[in-house]
Structures are given as C-alpha cells and as structure tokens.
Amino acid sequence: MRKILSLLLAVGLSIPFAAVAPKRAAAQSDADIITLVTDQGEIDARIIRKADAPDAALIIGLHGYGMDAKQIETLVNIEPNTDHSFVALNAPVPVEGGGGAWFPLDDSSGSIVVDPGDVRLGSEWVADATLALVTEIGADQAQVYIIGFSQGASMALGLALTHPDLAAGYIAFAGGLPREIRAEDWSVEGGAPVLLGYGARDTRFSAEELDATVAALSDAGLSVQLETFPVPHVVSGAGRRAIAAWIDDRVAGVPVAQIRPLPFAVTAAPDTGVAPEAVIAEALAAAEARGGYFGNPDGDLVIYKFFDFNCSICRIAHRQMERFLTQMPDNTRVVAVDVPLLGPGSREVAALTFSIAKPEDYNRAYHALMDGRGQMTGARALRELEDLAIAVEIADTEDAIDTYQNDMRVNTAAMRALGIAGTPGFFVRLPDGREQMFTGWDAQAIAAFVGLTLK
C-alpha cells in the first residue's frame, strides 16, 4: 500500500534560464520505488541503495533512450567507498515501444534533431527530482553526483551547463552533448567537474562527437576528465570502477585530472638504426626549426607536444593551451612534434605541412589545422592552406609522403624512445635540466612538475 508523503523544499537554484524552486514535492513509497511529485509532474525513482547514515552522498542515475531505471541498476551499479544512496530515475517522456526518454528525438528529416527547449525541460525534471530526493532521503546536497548513460549521458552533460551548482559532479558514459546545445554560448566557470567515459569501439557515439563535447564543456569553463575503454556502447567493469574511484576522489577533495589519451592501435616503433638519444635530439631539433609553437618563442622551459592532426584529444589540448599558458611561467615554450599515427590522412597532412618552407607559415598552418573539426586529410589540408595563402613545396600527397617518410619515422621513434605511449604526449624540459614525460593531456600534472598548481 502506498502512502503519500508531502515534502516542503526550502532549497532554490539559480540557473541561466529560469529559477527552479519547487513549492512542494511528494513521494509515494512501495518497496524500492518512489514517485516524486514536483512542479514538472510525477517522476518515478528506483532506490538501488540507501545510505547507512544521514547526510551521506547521493548518486542519481539517468538511463538511455527507450530504457528505464532498471538499466542503470544492471549497467551502472557502482560501489564507491564513501557512504551513499544510489537512486535511478525513470525518464518522463514515453517512447513508442516502451521505456522513456529525457527529451524527444525528431528523425523525420532523415537525421536526428533535438529541440534545445526539450533538453532544458528535461533538465528541470531532473533538477526538481534531485531536490526532492535530497529531502526525502536525507542526503548531503553538497555531495550529489549525477550519472548518465547514452541519452542519460546527454542529459547529465546538459545539466552540467544548465544547472552547474546542482551536483558536486556529473558523469557521462557513451553519450555527449547534442550539437544543438553545443552551438550555444555557455559560460559556467567554476561549475561542477565532469567525468566522461568513452568506448573506443562505440559505433553510436563517435570520436568526433566526443571531441566536440569535450571542447564545448572545456570552453564553457568546466573541468573535464576523460577515461577511455576498449568496449562498444556499454559501461564495462573497468568503467564502473573508474566511476566509483572518481566519486571517492571528489569526496576526498582530490583535484580533477584533465584529459587522458584515446586508445588506438599502435604499430611497432620504427627501427631507425640510430641510438635513442640521437633520434630524440634529431626529432626535437627538427620540430623547433619547423616552427609550430605556443608561448614564448625564446622560452627555456620547453614542452614538446607530440600530436596527430586527427587526434581528438590533441585538438582539445590545443584549444586549452592558451589558457594553460596564462598560469605557467613567462619563459614557457610549447613546441609541436607531428607523429602521424592515425591513418593515411594523418600521414598526408604531416608530409604536406613538412614541405612548408617558412617557419612562420608552418606555425599558422599548424594552428589553423588543429583548430579544425572532423577528419583531416591531405585534400582538406591543401584547401585550407590555400585559403590561408600558405604555399607548400610539394602539393602531391604521395610525393610528399615519399619525401618526408624518414622525418615521420624519426618523430615516431623519438616518441617511443621517450616512453610516451600515444598522442597526445608531452616531454617537459626545465631550465635546470630536469625532464619528465607525460602520456595524455593532464595540465595539472605538467604544472605540478614545474612546481605550480593550476586554478
């Protein structure tokens, strides 16, 4: 038998679109299901775990399109060390064939279109339900974590922008921000951090969508950590452990690690027949002469960035570099070292840009091509370089690859000799001679090696 419980919510939220301060919310209870009645309407919640003590953390799960709260219980059931309640919500928008959605999808035009207003409405549903759950369960509102899978991930990320203070952290696996939301100009500096989980074999959520999502969140001012797994459109056991560890770190006040590299199939390091120290010196000297850099061109605190023009995380690091350098010493110089590992297009672009004669032109080309989105090929690079009035000495991609094949092999061998596992990778050399290698983009770790803490 169900009993109606009236809840008076005394908590209000300040958000960009409208104030959310529900006047009343109620809960109906029956075993592990409660029905929350908020200003938006009724929404069911499945209690997966109840905390051992009051004022504990609250984890809220958001399922995928056409599914329900049971999906979260089976797919994303996690066990952080911190005491917590875990509740999964049922999405309020019914889907033909069963299950629910956080916002409708319009595919009448042949491609999926999302109405930003529907995403905002979905965020209001979840915000109201979150406040009701905090009161009903007796959780600590400062330790709310919202996890989403697939469309639920899109909803969680939307909340990170529309309600940056609702939760202490947002976690999104196998889903990103809809392009209609990414297109808006967001500024939520200091909002709650985000953990993204990406499956390298996910055919529903592409690396390009991931790239655009991380760029939008980072540009809005949010701290983003990316974890990648060799899985399709699921949350693996390793993913669940990563979520639990991330929540434990947030509760403990550990700073958010920034960006880690996408996994990819790496070929064996080229055998150049030259000692590793000589290969490294040759590659770094060639990169400095080529001219792709950030920061102080005469700086003696040098960060060599090993990159690929088609590496999504390399592009993210590129877009964040200017902001990163504002907190680094004035003598910091970042030098670009092209390691074209991600297919024929990467090799074409590397070879073509290597044939740019003037260092100042290579630097312009490097920044312009890294600022691009989507797959970069030789043909696309030539078009963009032509628009920039940058001349290449060898315009035929096959000839360029033949000419600069050894340069590409040397760069790859140098990266391997340094012990850097993939792109992006960073080799930091301080003025006092100390050196350190980093695989992946972790701005905090690089700053810590220099002796700084980023704000």
Side-chain angles (χ1 to χ4, degrees):
M1 180 175 173
R2 295 189 166 192
K3 183 178 179 181
I4 304 293
L5 302 174
S6 295
L7 303 175
L8 180 62
L9 296 180
V11 183
L13 283 177
S14 175
I15 63 171
F17 306 109
V20 175
K23 300 170 189 156
R24 294 179 60 84
Q28 297 186 52
S29 222
D30 184 6
D32 58 352
I33 303 292
I34 61 174
T35 299
L36 303 169
V37 182
T38 73
D39 283 358
Q40 307 302 323
E42 294 186 354
I43 185 168
D44 286 344
R46 186 178 188 86
I47 310 296
I48 299 172
R49 184 188 189 279
K50 189 73 181 292
D52 298 326
D55 296 323
L58 172 61
I59 301 170
I60 298 175
L62 310 177
H63 61 76
Y65 184 87
M67 305 302 291
D68 59 26
K70 291 181 181 178
Q71 182 191 49
I72 293 295
E73 185 171 14
T74 56
L75 188 63
V76 198
N77 198 352
I78 59 171
E79 286 294 334
N81 291 324
T82 187
D83 187 24
H84 67 282
S85 295
F86 191 7
V87 181
L89 299 178
N90 275 328
V93 180
V95 172
E96 185 177 355
W102 300 103
F103 48 86
L105 302 178
D106 181 3
D107 60 357
S108 59
S109 63
S111 61
I112 294 176
V113 177
V114 171
D115 183 341
D118 290 334
V119 178
R120 294 188 182 109
L121 180 59
S123 72
E124 302 303 327
W125 277 98
V126 178
D128 281 12
T130 298
L131 294 178
L133 283 169
V134 167
T135 304
E136 167 66 8
I137 291 177
D140 180 358
Q141 190 173 353
Q143 292 297 337
V144 174
Y145 299 91
I146 297 179
I147 300 174
F149 172 75
S150 197
Q151 194 194 53
S154 299
M155 189 75 269
L157 296 175
L159 283 159
L161 295 174
T162 62
H163 298 66
D165 300 322
L166 177 67
Y170 295 92
I171 301 162
F173 270 57
L177 280 170
R179 62 180 178 274
E180 294 84 356
I181 298 298
R182 297 196 306 262
E184 300 188 25
D185 186 18
W186 298 97
S187 179
V188 288
E189 193 77 34
V194 174
L195 172 64
L196 287 175
Y198 176 71
R201 286 181 275 178
D202 193 335
T203 58
R204 304 185 194 179
F205 179 44
S206 69
E208 289 76 20
E209 287 292 303
L210 173 70
D211 178 17
T213 292
V214 178
L217 295 171
S218 300
D219 291 348
L222 296 176
S223 294
V224 182
Q225 180 177 337
L226 173 65
E227 296 286 350
T228 59
F229 307 92
V231 297
H233 197 71
V234 298
V235 181
S236 63
R240 290 191 289 274
R241 290 190 293 274
I243 294 170
W246 192 83
I247 291 175
D248 285 336
D249 282 349
R250 301 292 76 71
V251 173
V254 176
V256 177
Q258 291 297 308
I259 297 295
R260 300 185 181 179
L262 289 172
F264 54 85
V266 179
T267 57
D271 181 8
T272 61
V274 181
E277 295 80 4
V279 171
I280 293 169
E282 180 181 350
L284 301 187
E288 296 208 23
R290 200 162 283 126
Y293 75 94
F294 276 94
N296 183 345
D298 300 315
D300 57 357
L301 193 170
V302 188
I303 302 174
Y304 295 96
K305 174 195 173 188
F306 291 82
F307 76 99
D308 183 304
F309 278 110
N310 282 309
C311 164
S312 298
I313 307 306
C314 299
R315 291 173 177 170
I316 293 165
H318 181 86
R319 285 193 286 271
Q320 295 180 352
M321 193 59 66
E322 290 287 0
R323 182 181 176 194
F324 168 70
L325 288 175
T326 63
Q327 300 187 56
M328 292 290 285
D330 293 338
N331 62 329
T332 303
R333 174 166 51 111
V334 180
V335 178
V337 185
D338 193 348
V339 185
L341 294 175
L342 299 181
S346 296
R347 291 190 291 275
E348 292 171 359
V349 180
L352 290 169
T353 54
F354 283 177
S355 77
I356 297 173
K358 297 179 180 179
E360 58 270 26
D361 284 346
Y362 180 88
N363 192 43
R364 286 199 298 132
Y366 163 68
H367 284 277
L369 298 181
M370 285 302 291
D371 283 335
R373 303 287 177 95
Q375 185 72 16
M376 187 62 66
T377 63
R380 176 179 170 186
L382 285 172
R383 290 194 300 270
E384 297 197 18
L385 294 175
E386 184 179 359
D387 290 342
L388 293 168
I390 295 175
V392 296
E393 294 189 344
I394 305 176
D396 182 90
T397 55
E398 291 185 8
D399 288 348
I401 289 172
D402 287 343
T403 302
Y404 293 100
Q405 185 175 37
N406 187 66
D407 297 71
M408 293 186 279
R409 285 165 57 85
V410 167
N411 285 359
T412 304
M415 186 180 77
R416 297 288 188 267
L418 286 166
I420 297 172
T423 58
F426 297 86
F427 172 49
V428 183
R429 178 177 286 162
L430 303 185
D432 62 9
R434 287 181 295 144
E435 299 174 341
Q436 182 66 51
M437 284 66 72
F438 301 86
T439 296
W441 172 229
D442 190 337
Q444 286 285 5
I446 295 173
F449 176 64
V450 177
L452 300 174
T453 300
L454 299 182
K455 298 177 182 178

